[in-house]
């Protein structure tokens, strides 16, 4: 159940990013199509982050230390562009126009909104 809640939270964060940032578009017209697209893109987003983020952190550990973690902004933007590309390959109506400012700001916005919404959802183990 927790995975589904996190998936919905990520989908809501992606939807907010499409509303706020001009370079991130959801091009389907129907509400059902938008919800389905956002849920599928959120699943892609979760898979990409789960698989690639640890690998990138291990390989780029020196850059993270050298830049005091600021390289993570670039990495997040690149991963966001990768999610957009994968969504396009699956024929989903989600597109990020360019790296700067769309992908970088989109990744930052999705991260912040997801974090805020996750704060509202209690963990199963907490009482």
């Amino acid at each position: 159940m927790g995975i589904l809640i996190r998936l919905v939270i990520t989908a809501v964060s992606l939807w907010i990013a499409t509303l706020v940032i001009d370079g991130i578009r959801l091009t389907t017209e129907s509400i059902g199509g938008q919800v389905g697209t956002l849920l599928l893109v959120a699943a892609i987003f979760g898979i990409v982050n789960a698989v690639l983020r640890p690998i990138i952190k291990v390989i780029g550990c020196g850059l993270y230390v050298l830049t005091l973690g600021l390289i993570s902004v670039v990495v997040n933007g690149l991963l966001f562009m990768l999610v957009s590309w994968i969504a396009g390959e699956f024929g989903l109506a989600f597109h990020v126009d360019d790296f700067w400012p769309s992908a970088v700001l989109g990744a930052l916005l999705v991260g912040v909104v997801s974090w805020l919404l996750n704060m509202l959802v209690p963990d199963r183990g907490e009482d």
Side-chain angles (χ1 to χ4, degrees):
M1 188 67 171
I3 292 174
L4 293 177
I5 292 171
R6 305 278 187 245
L7 183 71
V8 170
I9 286 173
T10 304
V12 169
S13 302
L14 289 166
W15 174 66
I16 291 171
T18 63
L19 297 176
V20 174
I21 299 171
D22 289 332
I24 301 173
R25 294 179 314 219
L26 189 59
T27 56
T28 185
E29 296 297 324
S30 69
I31 298 297
Q34 289 179 355
V35 170
T37 299
L38 287 170
L39 287 172
L40 288 172
V41 171
I44 293 168
F45 190 77
I47 292 168
V48 165
N49 278 326
V51 172
L52 291 180
R53 185 174 304 275
I55 296 168
I56 292 170
K57 282 188 175 184
V58 168
I59 292 172
C61 182
L63 281 176
Y64 278 90
V65 171
L66 184 65
T67 63
L68 301 176
L70 291 177
I71 192 71
S72 66
V73 174
V74 174
V75 169
N76 288 339
L78 290 172
L79 290 176
F80 205 67
M81 290 290 294
L82 178 63
V83 167
S84 173
W85 178 78
I86 293 171
E89 291 296 309
F90 282 109
L92 299 174
F94 180 82
H95 182 70
V96 178
D97 287 339
D98 48 8
F99 176 73
W100 178 259
S102 302
V104 172
L105 293 179
L108 286 172
L109 183 65
V110 168
V112 168
V113 171
S114 293
W115 175 74
L116 288 172
L117 292 176
N118 279 316
M119 294 288 286
L120 300 175
V121 177
D123 286 338
R124 191 166 175 85
E126 291 182 9
D127 291 319

